[in-house]
Amino acid sequence: MLKRYLLAPGPTPVPPEVLLSMAMPIIHHRSPDFLPVLDSAKKGLQWLFQTKNDVLILASTGTGGMVGAVNNFFNPGEKVLVINGGKFGERWTKICQAYGLRVEEIVVEWGYSIKPALVESALKKDSEIKAVFVQATETSTGVYHDIKGLGSVIKNYPDTLFIVDAISALVAEDIRTDEWGIDVMVGGSQKGLMLPPGLAFVSVSDKAWKKSEASKMPRFYFNFKKERENLAKNQTNFTSAVTLIIGLNEAIKILQKEGLENVFKRHARLANATREAVKALGLGIYSKESPSNSVTAIEMPEGIDGQLVYKTLREKYGITGAGGQDKAKGKIYRMAHLGYADTFDVITGIAALEMVLKQLGHPIRLGTGVARAQELLME
Amino acid sequence: MLKRYLLAPGPTPVPPEVLLSMAMPIIHHRSPDFLPVLDSAKKGLQWLFQTKNDVLILASTGTGGMVGAVNNFFNPGEKVLVINGGKFGERWTKICQAYGLRVEEIVVEWGYSIKPALVESALKKDSEIKAVFVQATETSTGVYHDIKGLGSVIKNYPDTLFIVDAISALVAEDIRTDEWGIDVMVGGSQKGLMLPPGLAFVSVSDKAWKKSEASKMPRFYFNFKKERENLAKNQTNFTSAVTLIIGLNEAIKILQKEGLENVFKRHARLANATREAVKALGLGIYSKESPSNSVTAIEMPEGIDGQLVYKTLREKYGITGAGGQDKAKGKIYRMAHLGYADTFDVITGIAALEMVLKQLGHPIRLGTGVARAQELLME
Amino acid sequence: MLKRYLLAPGPTPVPPEVLLSMAMPIIHHRSPDFLPVLDSAKKGLQWLFQTKNDVLILASTGTGGMVGAVNNFFNPGEKVLVINGGKFGERWTKICQAYGLRVEEIVVEWGYSIKPALVESALKKDSEIKAVFVQATETSTGVYHDIKGLGSVIKNYPDTLFIVDAISALVAEDIRTDEWGIDVMVGGSQKGLMLPPGLAFVSVSDKAWKKSEASKMPRFYFNFKKERENLAKNQTNFTSAVTLIIGLNEAIKILQKEGLENVFKRHARLANATREAVKALGLGIYSKESPSNSVTAIEMPEGIDGQLVYKTLREKYGITGAGGQDKAKGKIYRMAHLGYADTFDVITGIAALEMVLKQLGHPIRLGTGVARAQELLME
Amino acid sequence: MLKRYLLAPGPTPVPPEVLLSMAMPIIHHRSPDFLPVLDSAKKGLQWLFQTKNDVLILASTGTGGMVGAVNNFFNPGEKVLVINGGKFGERWTKICQAYGLRVEEIVVEWGYSIKPALVESALKKDSEIKAVFVQATETSTGVYHDIKGLGSVIKNYPDTLFIVDAISALVAEDIRTDEWGIDVMVGGSQKGLMLPPGLAFVSVSDKAWKKSEASKMPRFYFNFKKERENLAKNQTNFTSAVTLIIGLNEAIKILQKEGLENVFKRHARLANATREAVKALGLGIYSKESPSNSVTAIEMPEGIDGQLVYKTLREKYGITGAGGQDKAKGKIYRMAHLGYADTFDVITGIAALEMVLKQLGHPIRLGTGVARAQELLME
């Protein structure tokens, strides 16, 4: 028997009450049984997104929301600025290009975060830029970008939308959609929201709705205008992903019981303990700046293959984290503290990491990282 | 207390073992835990689709699969033929138009089915037609179109794809993808497959793959080529809808235990009993030709509002069926016998319909329809 | 595929929300997590039992509660009166004899109910009788005994306890523990309470507690005094059957939402429709007097074996009812309408019975019973 | 949000697949649906008990099984020997006395284990002793008694039964019922078997069956002869606790997949790591001899109240272990490693204990115990 633990940056563990809420007999999405469910979900999402904007609910993964954030607001040939600091930054570029946008990239070195000033000068220089795309948390590097700072810059450009992929950041970071001027923000179900994959969420500001009117890109499945009309009637444009939305309400209920501020504090506390434990072990944090509260990218010591660490953790200890991607492959191991995560997930993750590193021949004193985490996690 | 029954043509009831299979702790979609799950799902779908083609698994509703069936194979300006015999026929037209195709429609009167000869003359007349789009079952009218007949016509046109929306027909009808030459066939989770909404399935023939190479429509989320590459590795292009795919395996297991032939026989038996019961009650079947084995559209008698029947069934008897759409609104009531359906679902649905019709003032002898259904359902 | 229906007089179907409530991670029975659960359960049971007495919760089947009702109140050699009108009447006798009581029986013919006057004369004649034991509903015959009438007789005998097995009657019948002077009343989980088997409930009056002080029968597991002491602290004497008690709360919540009066009305309505449908089919009700609202015992026509009816219903139609026991074996088929039961359970049960009788060669017009049930069940 | 962990010596955590297996629609205990379930359960229990004897399945807690082990084999006035080394040793005495047996006790100091030689001299001295009662694991002290040694002594006394309460030891210890000559062995569901409370299991040897023939103690609910007769027909004497028995099969399936030897090794490994971690922290093990593989009783340092440790672990860290009972109350804290337990349950339990001890003012270096556990748990 090998008990299994999921410490990956998505999907993340789903609380039992959420799993069981989705196991009730299914109800019809156009019936009065479901309308209050959707009403509650949309209000809960507004609370979580800290916005008065509509938050659309799409039956797709988060990437579907990202696609919608591109093909509802622009026309082919328009120019946009993508902040590319990792795998998901790249994804913005690819989506924009797939839809015929001219993409200008600010490439941020992996492990670093964007300086809002760079965006400011780009916008100043080039009045054609119709949008700035960024990740709140770049999952591949464990970096949190300065969304507040970017917002305060972009706010001054009335023809430029601020579009944020918050798929991995939502719930873990205090992102203030309205206060910071985020026009389009994308979330997904299988991260901080503690749900299975299959739902995307997108908030849209008035500024964005206005711009969307001129957009003529082909779209049908991710048609935000139609979704908005349906949302007003507590429906979705196509068949609602009924069970996942029921689970969404249950997950939001858990978060609301904890309180938004406490939710953010918990994530900050777990992330901090993880990072400090890693440092106590003499390992480096891959995120040189602004490490995320969702996931910690841990630099592997010389001679230790991150992929082998990932594999050994799974096979010997039942722990599924994540390795590195692309240029970070083999160099890092990523451990999440996101969603349904608490003190002993960190302890477990660090203790197991210590055991594996030792087994793989890295000279480590067992308990060193755990002790540092314990110190910081004492309540 | 009011026990609830779901007799709508999607979502349909989900068997308890399927619901519970999805309540297990979540696993990671890129881990060895999940790969055999996807492998099993893809093979199960091939069995169900009666095809050797790949069957792609998309995290979207069935409509997402329909969109993919358009934007992976064509270029703007190409001409296609849509058979429009109801709400979902219309949807093919709308999707094709949204992506810039020139749509020629064969409009089939609601309640009737397409004559393959009409398609043949259209194809003969116009060599530009790159595809024929049709529903296997048009859910809005309860008509099953002659897919076999259409296939035998279209087969002779090497430059024309045969694209079938089988979302409501799959499992209920014996559709032979390969034998009949269907190039692209779309299914969805929440119908005959007895799953919650959130998955689309699309089979793609070699002929279609070949044509797709020239397609330059913008696409990212529904990128079939990428999905195919991932499928070969037992993955999906983006995060897999893990829980739904686990449920999919469980649902297919139930169908395989019954045997495909028996599955079709059961649906035919339930559908036949429903129709005969309706006739015994002196009511008409809205589908004048080729009534579907998934759902029966029942004509309401003079003076009885189908919407009120729907509402009364829900409120007094806990039964959720479906009313009519658009021009059929008020005129029909639809009752499904699809997926996780058996003898006493038909008995329940007919008995309740009788009670409601009587209550609404229609002169009906209680038990008349039930007796006819019993007769036909005796084993 | 054969959908399955449970129409037996226990276990009865468990609502999905109850099943799922019991699938949450387990909690410790002596911890603050569980104490409020037990507190709520005990109050809910008092509401359901219509009593201010303690209602003990035992980890056993209902029979365990019956044993406790004997071995906590008497001493070997004491004389008691058992009303024996069926299999469960016999059980009272056997338990009393196992514990050394002298049992006087009033044998009631199967299918008939006790006349309270008979009990009165027995009590008048014999002042030694320390208790009267009876079933509220005798499950084997489908008879409800006149608990109110018995109570009004026994009330006048200060040294005689009135002990009622309400295992099958609870929830289906309006039994007023305190108002009618019931000293000890036993319930079980797997009947009207819509739970799996494994819990017994016993209410104990002050009169009974007083009598128990003198009882010296050996007892340890079913020690009511200890259970009472623990109950006051929201615990049970031994490890609580945690999951079942959690389910109990969920089940009571459903009943409370419906309201006690409506619960009784529903059972009366379903039972009446069942009986009238049976009569419309020309069959007899086995309970010649006072038929129960929990279960209907249906007399099989000449030449039809009740056991074969039971078997055929199961194998061809997926319906599990119950045959007859002992002298009624083969002569009756029993169909419950108990707990999580509603209109279409009756329709299903009657329709299936019609089909089976016809198949077994009994000349029946299909739909006859159903039509009568429909008529009575129209809301 | 506070994630919860259950590290108490019963109930213990229930694996999700077991919980969900019990959430399926209920089936009837006398129907062909259930008979193979019981058949499989009884064979699984024989495998687990390492016996060819029948293993009875009772709807009660483990204590019910203990009661049955007394009242099925003896007559009032017979003399028995009870080994009393803690709370559960006391329970044997109390049950025996409740049923009128003359009890001779060998009192073993709490924390110590019985010397078989003492039993041997008692048996030699007094030929009247009809049975020796003992716990395999005395849960209150964390001591495992030498069952093998006792068996080899008692075997030589053909008129003396060897009766073992293995409720807390089963699954954690390699107890060879037949090989060691155990006549009656009692198990319970909510311990090593990873199930909710509500089932007791009792194996009975031929020697015991023979002795039971002369037993005239009053019994009805725990009537082993009747249970045996029913078990032969894959039934139980009264309504089977259907859901728990379904869960039992699922739990046994997990254990069988692991293999009995590996199950015992896992428990030994976890127990050893726990004890060594405790020692590394400078704390004492309460079990001075033969510490159990189910639960470790940890001595609290001077000035630290075990009850406060229990309470703080629950409230601050979500961990439910167990305090001490009676004379050990306040002096110890008990942490189980029983059933569904693995490496990181030990790490979590020790890490949390360190944090609480430190918080309560005990001078401890965080990570010390964890490091020792990690060392021993490295695979």
Side-chain angles (χ1 to χ4, degrees):
Chain A
M1 201 188 73
L2 188 61
K3 268 193 177 179
R4 307 201 74 91
Y5 301 83
L6 185 54
L7 298 180
T12 63
V14 181
E17 53 269 55
V18 176
L19 285 170
L20 293 173
S21 74
M22 296 187 290
M24 280 290 289
I26 201 154
I27 54 179
H28 196 273
H29 60 295
R30 303 271 182 231
S31 77
D33 303 326
F34 186 65
L35 307 188
V37 171
L38 197 76
D39 186 52
S40 162
K42 78 181 182 189
K43 285 173 185 159
L45 285 170
Q46 286 178 315
W47 169 82
L48 186 61
F49 273 64
Q50 307 189 46
T51 187
K52 288 182 178 159
N53 295 335
D54 293 320
V55 186
L56 310 176
I57 302 174
L58 306 169
S60 74
T61 69
T63 301
M66 293 172 76
V67 167
V70 170
N71 80 353
N72 280 277
F73 300 105
F74 305 101
N75 282 310
E78 285 187 322
K79 198 187 222 178
V80 297
L81 183 68
V82 169
I83 296 162
N84 177 349
K87 280 294 287 178
F88 292 90
E90 271 175 33
R91 181 165 293 176
W92 273 135
T93 296
K94 285 182 187 170
I95 297 173
C96 289
Q97 288 173 339
Y99 283 87
L101 300 182
R102 283 181 298 139
V103 175
E104 186 171 323
E105 275 195 347
I106 301 184
V107 175
V108 179
E109 194 182 345
W110 283 40
Y112 291 82
S113 75
I114 183 71
K115 304 284 166 279
L118 290 176
V119 172
E120 186 155 33
S121 39
L123 291 177
K124 260 189 199 152
K125 223 180 318 179
D126 188 347
S127 65
E128 273 190 288
I129 293 171
K130 299 297 185 201
V132 177
F133 289 88
V134 74
Q135 270 60 42
T137 289
E138 170 58 61
T139 323
S140 63
T141 64
V143 165
Y144 175 72
H145 286 302
D146 179 1
I147 302 304
K148 184 181 182 183
L150 290 169
S152 69
V153 165
I154 301 164
K155 231 181 239 183
N156 305 315
Y157 295 82
D159 297 333
T160 305
L161 299 182
F162 183 23
I163 299 186
V164 177
D165 159 8
I167 295 171
S168 288
L170 196 69
V171 173
E173 312 279 359
D174 183 1
I175 304 179
R176 311 193 171 181
T177 304
D178 290 357
E179 192 181 327
W180 297 354
I182 301 168
D183 293 304
V184 179
M185 187 160 92
V186 181
S189 51
Q190 82 279 19
K191 305 276 185 168
L193 261 165
M194 314 181 289
L195 287 164
L199 289 181
F201 315 110
V202 189
S203 73
V204 182
S205 72
D206 286 342
K207 185 173 161 186
W209 283 124
K210 201 149 183 204
K211 172 132 184 56
S212 79
E213 285 165 24
S215 165
K216 293 193 162 50
M217 279 189 187
R219 58 180 166 263
F220 193 87
Y221 191 71
F222 302 114
N223 184 324
F224 284 5
K225 197 181 161 211
K226 295 265 184 191
E227 291 295 346
R228 185 193 208 184
E229 288 163 17
N230 275 277
L231 196 65
K233 300 178 291 180
N234 288 327
Q235 305 209 354
T236 56
N237 193 14
F238 306 114
T239 308
S240 309
V242 173
T243 50
L244 292 168
I245 296 173
I246 287 170
L248 171 61
N249 275 349
E250 200 67 26
I252 289 174
K253 208 190 293 174
I254 295 173
L255 296 175
Q256 288 185 332
K257 202 173 153 197
E258 187 176 9
L260 206 42
E261 203 181 341
N262 290 331
V263 168
F264 298 142
K265 272 189 195 161
R266 172 167 53 87
H267 282 87
R269 191 171 67 86
L270 299 177
N272 182 52
T274 303
R275 290 188 295 258
E276 292 301 312
V278 165
K279 289 180 201 163
L281 286 168
L283 304 176
I285 303 294
Y286 187 71
S287 331
K288 295 310 168 197
E289 295 173 337
S290 185
S292 136
N293 286 334
S294 309
V295 57
T296 296
I298 305 167
E299 291 179 332
M300 290 298 100
E302 198 59 39
I304 299 287
D305 175 12
Q307 292 306 104
L308 186 57
V309 168
Y310 162 81
K311 196 167 173 279
T312 311
L313 278 164
R314 268 189 56 84
E315 291 175 3
K316 282 197 188 284
Y317 299 106
I319 292 172
T320 299
Q325 295 168 292
D326 284 7
K327 70 179 82 165
K329 194 158 192 167
K331 295 187 186 154
I332 62 173
Y333 165 73
R334 292 176 296 152
M335 171 176 155
H337 21 70
L338 178 55
Y340 188 54
D342 206 350
T343 298
F344 298 100
D345 294 302
V346 171
I347 298 290
T348 290
I350 294 296
L353 180 61
E354 292 179 2
M355 290 154 87
V356 166
L357 287 174
K358 183 161 189 130
Q359 269 160 329
L360 296 181
H362 187 64
I364 223 163
R365 196 158 55 78
L366 292 172
T368 311
V370 171
R372 182 67 180 122
Q374 284 176 295
E375 198 182 335
L376 292 163
L377 292 168
M378 271 174 62
E379 295 260 300
Chain B
M1 204 189 69
L2 187 62
K3 267 193 177 179
R4 307 201 75 91
Y5 300 84
L6 185 55
L7 298 180
T12 64
V14 181
E17 53 269 55
V18 176
L19 284 170
L20 294 173
S21 74
M22 297 187 289
M24 280 289 289
I26 201 155
I27 54 179
H28 196 274
H29 59 296
R30 304 271 183 231
S31 78
D33 302 326
F34 186 65
L35 307 188
V37 171
L38 198 75
D39 187 52
S40 162
K42 79 181 181 190
K43 287 171 184 160
L45 286 170
Q46 286 178 315
W47 169 81
L48 185 61
F49 274 64
Q50 307 189 47
T51 188
K52 288 183 179 159
N53 295 335
D54 294 320
V55 186
L56 310 176
I57 301 175
L58 307 169
S60 74
T61 69
T63 301
M66 294 172 76
V67 167
V70 170
N71 81 352
N72 280 276
F73 300 105
F74 305 101
N75 282 309
E78 285 187 321
K79 197 185 219 180
V80 297
L81 183 69
V82 168
I83 295 162
N84 177 350
K87 280 294 286 177
F88 292 90
E90 271 175 32
R91 182 166 293 177
W92 272 135
T93 296
K94 284 183 186 168
I95 298 172
C96 289
Q97 289 173 340
Y99 282 87
L101 299 181
R102 284 181 297 140
V103 175
E104 187 172 322
E105 275 195 347
I106 300 185
V107 174
V108 179
E109 194 182 344
W110 283 40
Y112 290 82
S113 75
I114 183 72
K115 304 284 166 279
L118 290 177
V119 172
E120 188 155 34
S121 39
L123 292 177
K124 262 191 198 150
K125 221 180 315 177
D126 188 347
S127 66
E128 271 190 290
I129 293 172
K130 299 297 186 197
V132 178
F133 289 87
V134 73
Q135 270 60 41
T137 289
E138 171 57 62
T139 323
S140 62
T141 65
V143 165
Y144 174 73
H145 286 301
D146 179 3
I147 301 305
K148 185 182 181 183
L150 290 169
S152 69
V153 165
I154 301 166
K155 233 181 239 184
N156 305 315
Y157 294 82
D159 297 333
T160 305
L161 299 182
F162 183 24
I163 300 186
V164 177
D165 159 8
I167 295 171
S168 288
L170 196 69
V171 174
E173 313 279 358
D174 184 1
I175 304 179
R176 309 191 172 184
T177 304
D178 290 357
E179 193 181 325
W180 298 353
I182 301 168
D183 294 304
V184 179
M185 188 160 92
V186 181
S189 52
Q190 82 278 18
K191 305 277 185 164
L193 261 165
M194 314 182 287
L195 287 164
L199 289 182
F201 315 110
V202 189
S203 73
V204 182
S205 73
D206 286 341
K207 185 174 161 186
W209 282 124
K210 202 149 179 204
K211 172 133 184 57
S212 79
E213 284 166 24
S215 165
K216 293 195 163 50
M217 280 189 185
R219 58 178 166 263
F220 193 86
Y221 191 70
F222 302 114
N223 185 324
F224 284 6
K225 196 179 161 215
K226 296 263 186 193
E227 291 295 347
R228 184 193 210 183
E229 289 163 16
N230 276 276
L231 197 64
K233 301 177 292 179
N234 288 326
Q235 304 209 354
T236 57
N237 193 14
F238 304 114
T239 308
S240 309
V242 172
T243 51
L244 293 169
I245 296 173
I246 287 170
L248 171 61
N249 276 347
E250 200 67 26
I252 289 175
K253 209 189 294 174
I254 295 173
L255 296 175
Q256 289 185 331
K257 204 174 150 195
E258 187 176 7
L260 205 43
E261 204 182 338
N262 290 330
V263 167
F264 298 141
K265 272 189 195 160
R266 172 167 53 87
H267 282 87
R269 191 169 68 85
L270 300 177
N272 182 52
T274 303
R275 290 188 296 258
E276 292 301 312
V278 164
K279 289 179 201 163
L281 287 169
L283 304 177
I285 303 295
Y286 187 72
S287 330
K288 296 308 167 199
E289 294 172 335
S290 185
S292 136
N293 286 335
S294 309
V295 58
T296 296
I298 305 167
E299 291 179 331
M300 290 295 100
E302 200 58 40
I304 298 288
D305 176 12
Q307 292 306 104
L308 186 58
V309 169
Y310 163 81
K311 197 167 171 280
T312 311
L313 278 165
R314 270 188 55 83
E315 291 175 4
K316 283 201 187 281
Y317 299 105
I319 291 172
T320 299
Q325 294 169 292
D326 285 6
K327 71 179 80 165
K329 193 160 193 167
K331 295 188 186 153
I332 62 173
Y333 165 73
R334 290 177 298 152
M335 170 176 156
H337 21 72
L338 178 55
Y340 189 53
D342 206 350
T343 298
F344 299 99
D345 294 303
V346 171
I347 299 290
T348 290
I350 295 295
L353 179 62
E354 291 180 3
M355 290 154 86
V356 165
L357 287 173
K358 184 164 188 124
Q359 269 161 329
L360 295 181
H362 186 64
I364 223 163
R365 194 157 56 79
L366 292 172
T368 311
V370 171
R372 182 70 180 121
Q374 285 176 294
E375 198 181 334
L376 293 163
L377 293 168
M378 271 174 61
E379 295 258 302
Chain C
M1 203 189 73
L2 188 63
K3 268 194 177 178
R4 307 200 74 90
Y5 300 84
L6 185 54
L7 298 180
T12 64
V14 181
E17 54 268 54
V18 175
L19 284 170
L20 294 173
S21 74
M22 296 187 289
M24 280 290 289
I26 201 155
I27 54 179
H28 196 274
H29 60 296
R30 304 270 183 232
S31 78
D33 302 326
F34 185 65
L35 308 187
V37 171
L38 197 76
D39 186 52
S40 163
K42 78 181 184 190
K43 286 172 185 158
L45 286 170
Q46 287 178 314
W47 169 82
L48 185 61
F49 272 65
Q50 307 189 48
T51 187
K52 288 183 178 159
N53 296 335
D54 293 319
V55 186
L56 310 177
I57 301 174
L58 307 170
S60 75
T61 69
T63 301
M66 293 172 76
V67 167
V70 170
N71 80 351
N72 280 277
F73 301 105
F74 305 101
N75 282 310
E78 285 188 322
K79 198 186 222 180
V80 298
L81 183 69
V82 168
I83 296 163
N84 176 350
K87 279 295 285 178
F88 292 90
E90 272 175 32
R91 182 166 292 176
W92 273 135
T93 296
K94 284 182 186 169
I95 298 173
C96 289
Q97 289 173 339
Y99 283 88
L101 299 182
R102 284 181 297 140
V103 174
E104 187 172 325
E105 274 195 348
I106 301 185
V107 175
V108 179
E109 195 181 345
W110 283 40
Y112 290 82
S113 75
I114 183 73
K115 304 283 166 283
L118 291 178
V119 172
E120 187 155 32
S121 40
L123 292 177
K124 261 191 197 147
K125 221 181 315 179
D126 188 347
S127 66
E128 272 189 289
I129 293 171
K130 299 297 185 199
V132 178
F133 289 87
V134 73
Q135 271 59 42
T137 289
E138 171 57 61
T139 322
S140 62
T141 64
V143 165
Y144 174 72
H145 287 301
D146 179 1
I147 301 305
K148 185 181 180 182
L150 290 169
S152 70
V153 166
I154 302 165
K155 233 183 242 184
N156 305 316
Y157 295 82
D159 297 332
T160 305
L161 297 183
F162 183 25
I163 299 186
V164 177
D165 159 8
I167 295 172
S168 287
L170 196 69
V171 173
E173 313 280 358
D174 183 1
I175 304 179
R176 309 193 172 183
T177 304
D178 291 356
E179 193 181 324
W180 298 353
I182 302 168
D183 293 304
V184 179
M185 187 159 93
V186 181
S189 51
Q190 82 279 18
K191 306 274 186 169
L193 261 165
M194 315 182 287
L195 287 165
L199 289 181
F201 315 111
V202 189
S203 73
V204 182
S205 72
D206 286 342
K207 185 174 161 188
W209 282 124
K210 201 149 181 206
K211 172 131 183 59
S212 79
E213 285 166 24
S215 164
K216 292 191 164 51
M217 280 191 186
R219 59 180 165 262
F220 193 87
Y221 192 71
F222 301 115
N223 184 325
F224 284 5
K225 195 178 163 216
K226 295 264 185 192
E227 291 295 347
R228 185 193 209 183
E229 289 163 15
N230 275 276
L231 196 65
K233 300 177 293 181
N234 288 327
Q235 305 208 354
T236 56
N237 193 12
F238 305 114
T239 308
S240 310
V242 172
T243 51
L244 292 168
I245 297 173
I246 286 170
L248 171 61
N249 276 347
E250 201 67 25
I252 289 175
K253 208 190 293 173
I254 294 173
L255 296 174
Q256 289 186 330
K257 205 175 149 194
E258 187 176 7
L260 206 43
E261 205 181 339
N262 290 331
V263 168
F264 298 141
K265 272 188 196 161
R266 172 168 53 87
H267 282 87
R269 190 170 68 85
L270 299 178
N272 182 51
T274 303
R275 290 187 297 257
E276 292 301 313
V278 165
K279 289 180 202 162
L281 287 169
L283 304 177
I285 302 296
Y286 187 72
S287 330
K288 297 307 167 201
E289 294 172 336
S290 186
S292 136
N293 286 334
S294 309
V295 58
T296 296
I298 305 167
E299 290 179 331
M300 290 297 99
E302 199 59 39
I304 299 287
D305 175 13
Q307 292 306 103
L308 186 58
V309 168
Y310 163 81
K311 196 165 171 281
T312 312
L313 279 165
R314 268 188 57 83
E315 291 175 4
K316 282 198 189 282
Y317 299 105
I319 292 173
T320 299
Q325 294 168 292
D326 285 7
K327 70 179 82 165
K329 194 159 192 167
K331 295 187 186 153
I332 61 172
Y333 165 73
R334 291 176 298 151
M335 172 177 155
H337 21 71
L338 178 55
Y340 188 53
D342 206 351
T343 298
F344 298 100
D345 295 302
V346 171
I347 298 290
T348 290
I350 294 295
L353 179 62
E354 291 179 2
M355 291 154 86
V356 166
L357 287 174
K358 183 163 189 125
Q359 270 161 328
L360 296 181
H362 187 64
I364 224 163
R365 197 158 54 79
L366 292 172
T368 311
V370 171
R372 182 69 180 120
Q374 284 176 296
E375 198 182 333
L376 292 163
L377 293 169
M378 271 175 63
E379 295 259 301
Chain D
M1 202 189 71
L2 187 62
K3 268 195 178 177
R4 308 201 74 91
Y5 301 84
L6 184 56
L7 298 180
T12 63
V14 181
E17 54 269 54
V18 176
L19 285 170
L20 294 173
S21 74
M22 297 187 290
M24 280 290 288
I26 201 154
I27 54 180
H28 196 273
H29 60 296
R30 304 269 182 231
S31 79
D33 303 326
F34 185 65
L35 306 188
V37 171
L38 198 76
D39 186 52
S40 163
K42 78 181 182 191
K43 286 172 185 159
L45 286 170
Q46 287 178 314
W47 169 82
L48 186 61
F49 272 65
Q50 306 189 46
T51 188
K52 288 182 180 161
N53 296 335
D54 293 320
V55 186
L56 311 176
I57 301 175
L58 307 169
S60 74
T61 70
T63 301
M66 294 172 75
V67 167
V70 169
N71 80 353
N72 280 276
F73 300 104
F74 306 100
N75 282 309
E78 285 188 320
K79 197 187 222 179
V80 298
L81 183 68
V82 168
I83 296 162
N84 177 349
K87 280 294 286 176
F88 291 90
E90 271 176 32
R91 182 166 294 176
W92 273 136
T93 297
K94 284 182 185 168
I95 297 173
C96 289
Q97 288 174 340
Y99 283 87
L101 300 181
R102 284 181 297 139
V103 174
E104 186 171 325
E105 275 193 349
I106 301 185
V107 174
V108 179
E109 193 182 343
W110 284 41
Y112 290 83
S113 75
I114 183 72
K115 303 286 166 278
L118 290 177
V119 172
E120 187 155 34
S121 41
L123 292 177
K124 260 191 200 150
K125 223 181 317 180
D126 187 348
S127 66
E128 272 190 290
I129 293 171
K130 299 297 186 200
V132 178
F133 289 87
V134 74
Q135 270 61 40
T137 289
E138 171 58 61
T139 323
S140 62
T141 65
V143 165
Y144 174 72
H145 286 302
D146 179 1
I147 300 305
K148 185 181 181 183
L150 290 169
S152 69
V153 165
I154 301 165
K155 232 183 240 186
N156 305 315
Y157 295 82
D159 297 332
T160 306
L161 298 182
F162 183 24
I163 299 185
V164 177
D165 158 8
I167 295 171
S168 288
L170 197 69
V171 174
E173 313 279 358
D174 183 1
I175 304 180
R176 310 192 172 182
T177 304
D178 291 356
E179 193 181 326
W180 298 353
I182 302 168
D183 294 304
V184 179
M185 187 160 93
V186 182
S189 52
Q190 82 280 19
K191 304 276 185 167
L193 260 165
M194 315 181 288
L195 287 164
L199 289 181
F201 314 111
V202 189
S203 74
V204 182
S205 72
D206 287 341
K207 186 174 160 185
W209 282 125
K210 201 149 180 205
K211 172 134 184 56
S212 79
E213 285 166 24
S215 166
K216 294 194 161 50
M217 280 189 184
R219 56 179 167 265
F220 193 87
Y221 191 70
F222 301 115
N223 184 324
F224 283 6
K225 196 178 161 214
K226 296 264 187 195
E227 291 295 347
R228 187 193 208 184
E229 289 163 15
N230 276 276
L231 196 65
K233 301 177 292 179
N234 288 326
Q235 304 209 353
T236 56
N237 193 14
F238 305 114
T239 309
S240 309
V242 173
T243 50
L244 293 168
I245 296 173
I246 287 170
L248 171 61
N249 276 347
E250 200 67 26
I252 289 175
K253 208 189 294 173
I254 295 173
L255 296 175
Q256 288 186 331
K257 203 174 150 194
E258 187 176 9
L260 206 43
E261 204 181 339
N262 290 330
V263 168
F264 298 141
K265 271 188 197 161
R266 171 167 54 88
H267 282 87
R269 192 170 67 86
L270 299 178
N272 181 53
T274 304
R275 290 188 294 258
E276 292 301 312
V278 165
K279 288 178 201 165
L281 287 169
L283 305 176
I285 303 295
Y286 186 72
S287 330
K288 296 308 169 199
E289 294 172 336
S290 185
S292 136
N293 286 335
S294 309
V295 57
T296 296
I298 305 167
E299 291 179 332
M300 290 296 101
E302 200 57 41
I304 299 288
D305 175 13
Q307 292 306 105
L308 187 58
V309 168
Y310 163 81
K311 195 167 172 280
T312 311
L313 278 164
R314 268 189 56 83
E315 292 175 4
K316 282 198 188 286
Y317 299 105
I319 292 173
T320 299
Q325 295 170 290
D326 285 6
K327 71 180 82 167
K329 193 159 193 168
K331 294 185 187 155
I332 62 173
Y333 165 73
R334 290 177 298 151
M335 170 177 156
H337 21 71
L338 178 55
Y340 189 53
D342 206 350
T343 298
F344 298 100
D345 295 302
V346 171
I347 299 290
T348 291
I350 294 294
L353 178 62
E354 291 180 3
M355 290 154 86
V356 165
L357 288 173
K358 185 165 187 123
Q359 268 161 331
L360 296 181
H362 186 64
I364 223 164
R365 195 158 55 80
L366 292 171
T368 310
V370 171
R372 182 69 181 122
Q374 285 175 295
E375 199 182 333
L376 292 163
L377 293 168
M378 270 174 64
E379 295 258 300

